[in-house]
Amino acid sequence: AQTVTQSQPEMSVQEAETVTLSCTYDTSESDYYLFWYKQPPSRQMILVIRQEAYKQQNATENRFSVNFQKAAKSFSLKISDSQLGDAAMYFCAYRSGSPGNQFYFGTGTSLTVIP
Amino acid sequence: NAGVMQNPRHLVRRRGQEARLRCSPMKGHSHVYWYRQLPEEGLKFMVYLQKENIIDESGMPKERFSAEFPKEGPSILRIQQVVRGDSAAYFCASSPRENEKLFFGSGTQLSVL
């Protein structure tokens, strides 16, 4: 089974600053998808960003961007101009490109935004 | 278009009782996933269903747990004879097709007394 590792249980960032959350994964497949999900205190899981492995260009969504290093199996999330509303648990997730496969999630990184 | 609806939001059961968790996927979504989240842990896959079919149940405990996604109606995760270790947040997610992003419900917090 694939594994997803988030080595930072907790991170903090000053409001308006930039923070990077790390994620590594283990797979022997070449076709897959990577995701970052945000879980605020409301518990609702919200998709932040998605990356297809076959795309070399890093995905970007407004203040959120990723650094996808396929050879290193690394998929970090960069949050620019951090806002108080960014405070949440962030989960990295992997999904195989083959049909009938599930999502694998990391254990999460708790992000605190300091005013 | 309503999102993924899970109910109840909170469920309290005594040991030995049955728990039934419901999930209505987003309109047009035929793929449903159930995940369990324990405190300080990530989401653990339990089961993946399409309408009337179980695609992958490799994450489901062999006993007491079952899931269904009938042709009509919500997906149901059923836990028989609950034990304290079943206490967790159970999340349902749906997608319209394979390899599409997941849309999550708000979860059901199960507490076993």
Side-chain angles (χ1 to χ4, degrees), chain A residues 33 35 37 39 42-45 47 50 91 95-108, chain B residues 9-10 33 35 37 41-43 45 48 55-56 58 91 98-102 104-109:
Chain A
Y33 302 81
F35 305 80
Y37 278 87
Q39 186 180 42
S42 68
R43 220 171 56 188
Q44 178 77 48
M45 292 283 285
L47 178 67
R50 161 187 158 136
F91 293 96
R95 182 177 187 175
S96 167
S98 302
N101 275 281
Q102 48 154 309
F103 281 65
Y104 293 89
F105 285 83
T107 52
Chain B
R9 178 97 171 155
H10 300 276
Y33 303 77
Y35 285 84
Q37 185 179 31
E41 293 186 17
L43 291 130
F45 169 77
Y48 166 31
I55 306 302
D56 182 355
S58 59
F91 287 90
E98 291 266 32
N99 300 329
E100 288 285 335
K101 64 184 180 184
L102 294 180
F104 280 84
S106 297
T108 293
Q109 181 65 49

Side-chain angles (χ1 to χ4, degrees), chain A residues 65-104:
Chain A
S65 61
V66 298
N67 183 6
F68 174 45
Q69 302 288 328
K70 192 171 184 178
K73 297 179 183 174
S74 169
F75 183 60
S76 59
L77 174 70
K78 186 171 86 170
I79 306 173
S80 305
D81 186 25
S82 297
Q83 301 175 0
L84 294 178
D86 295 333
M89 281 289 285
Y90 286 82
F91 293 96
C92 178
Y94 167 103
R95 182 177 187 175
S96 167
S98 302
N101 275 281
Q102 48 154 309
F103 281 65
Y104 293 89

Side-chain angles (χ1 to χ4, degrees), chain B residues 62-83:
Chain B
K62 292 290 186 285
E63 298 177 350
R64 303 189 297 109
F65 286 73
S66 62
E68 63 176 12
F69 188 19
K71 188 177 180 180
E72 302 290 337
S75 175
I76 306 288
L77 179 67
R78 183 180 176 209
I79 311 172
Q80 295 177 289
Q81 298 175 322
V82 296
V83 300

Side-chain angles (χ1 to χ4, degrees), chain B residues 6-97:
Chain B
Q6 286 189 252
N7 65 81
R9 178 97 171 155
H10 300 276
L11 182 61
V12 179
R13 285 288 178 266
R14 296 192 181 279
R15 281 179 295 171
Q17 292 184 318
E18 177 180 288
R20 292 171 69 89
L21 287 63
R22 293 176 180 74
C23 169
S24 296
M26 286 183 70
K27 187 176 179 180
H29 287 197
S30 58
H31 300 251
V32 167
Y33 303 77
W34 284 93
Y35 285 84
R36 176 162 63 178
Q37 185 179 31
L38 293 167
E40 311 302 323
E41 293 186 17
L43 291 130
K44 299 294 185 186
F45 169 77
M46 297 184 74
V47 61
Y48 166 31
L49 310 104
Q50 292 181 27
K51 282 287 187 180
E52 300 183 277
N53 289 306
I54 295 174
I55 306 302
D56 182 355
E57 57 181 347
S58 59
M60 288 272 276
K62 292 290 186 285
E63 298 177 350
R64 303 189 297 109
F65 286 73
S66 62
E68 63 176 12
F69 188 19
K71 188 177 180 180
E72 302 290 337
S75 175
I76 306 288
L77 179 67
R78 183 180 176 209
I79 311 172
Q80 295 177 289
Q81 298 175 322
V82 296
V83 300
R84 289 224 174 105
D86 297 332
S87 297
Y90 292 83
F91 287 90
C92 169
S94 71
S95 67
R97 286 171 294 280

